[in-house]
Amino acid sequence: AAGAAQRLAAALNQDRIFLAFEPVLQTRQSGRALFRACAFIRGSNAASAWQPARLTPDCDRSLARRFALRLVDLAGSALARHPGVDVTLPLPVVVEPPRRPGDAYDRLTIELDETLAKADLDNNGRYCRAILASGARLGIAGFGAGHLSFADLRVLGVRNVTLPTRSGPGEAGACAL
């Protein structure tokens, strides 16, 4: 666990975190496109990279929050460069996005795991309200585990949920509320 935390801290300090974008949907009429962001860490040599998904649960909360804020910053930069794009960004912890002039958070959906959203709801929804106040939309991944009700989704202001499907490994269906 300490090694994973050290690798993540080093990657943050050395600016080796980056986002890749997977196309989800593109509309012909408006030309708008929806992408799902996926975080990666560049290895010490430029040819290697790995996903940090397995690193963050072992890391301390402040390091995981620092990582999540970096992901929000990267997504905001990508949105500023690509005006016809919307991005869904899964986060490992709930964070309050920093507000800066010119942020394009209105095209960003911050996606939280259902258990994270439930923990924030139990904390009066502080971070989820901050996400919405930043202009971003709130999405829930893995909805249906029984942690949140439809009433909870309404209280949190959730706009999108991702439902687990049985169509194949790693595939999920999305549903707008």
Side-chain angles (χ1 to χ4, degrees), residues 40-62:
F40 287 90
I41 296 175
R42 279 188 189 88
S44 51
N45 63 19
S48 67
W50 70 90
Q51 282 189 287
R54 291 188 175 86
L55 295 179
T56 52
D58 297 331
C59 298
D60 66 65
R61 192 153 176 79
S62 64

Side-chain angles (χ1 to χ4, degrees), residues 141-168:
F143 180 73
H147 299 289
L148 293 173
S149 67
F150 286 108
D152 293 335
L153 295 178
R154 186 173 305 171
V155 167
L156 290 172
V158 172
R159 296 291 307 249
N160 298 329
V161 295
T162 303
L163 305 169
T165 63
R166 299 197 188 279
S167 56

Side-chain angles (χ1 to χ4, degrees), residues 76-129:
S77 295
L79 287 168
R81 288 190 312 271
H82 303 285
V85 169
D86 288 18
V87 170
T88 297
L89 176 66
L91 290 181
V93 294
V94 187
V95 294
E96 182 176 339
R99 298 192 69 180
R100 297 181 194 104
D103 281 335
Y105 289 152
D106 60 320
R107 295 182 286 120
L108 176 65
T109 299
I110 293 179
E111 189 176 76
L112 305 174
D113 182 80
E114 186 177 2
T115 55
L116 286 173
K118 176 61 175 163
D120 189 50
L121 181 65
D122 293 343
N123 191 26
N124 298 321
R126 173 182 165 217
Y127 290 110
C128 291
R129 282 196 312 273

Side-chain angles (χ1 to χ4, degrees), residues 9-70:
L12 283 164
N13 292 337
Q14 298 165 4
D15 199 25
R16 292 187 289 122
I17 308 288
F18 69 98
L19 291 176
F21 297 92
E22 175 184 24
V24 175
L25 175 72
Q26 183 162 4
T27 61
R28 289 186 186 150
Q29 261 186 341
S30 69
R32 295 197 61 86
L34 171 63
F35 288 84
R36 180 175 191 78
C38 191
F40 287 90
I41 296 175
R42 279 188 189 88
S44 51
N45 63 19
S48 67
W50 70 90
Q51 282 189 287
R54 291 188 175 86
L55 295 179
T56 52
D58 297 331
C59 298
D60 66 65
R61 192 153 176 79
S62 64
L63 184 60
R65 288 178 54 75
R66 202 172 131 213
F67 172 66
L69 286 169
R70 179 66 181 135

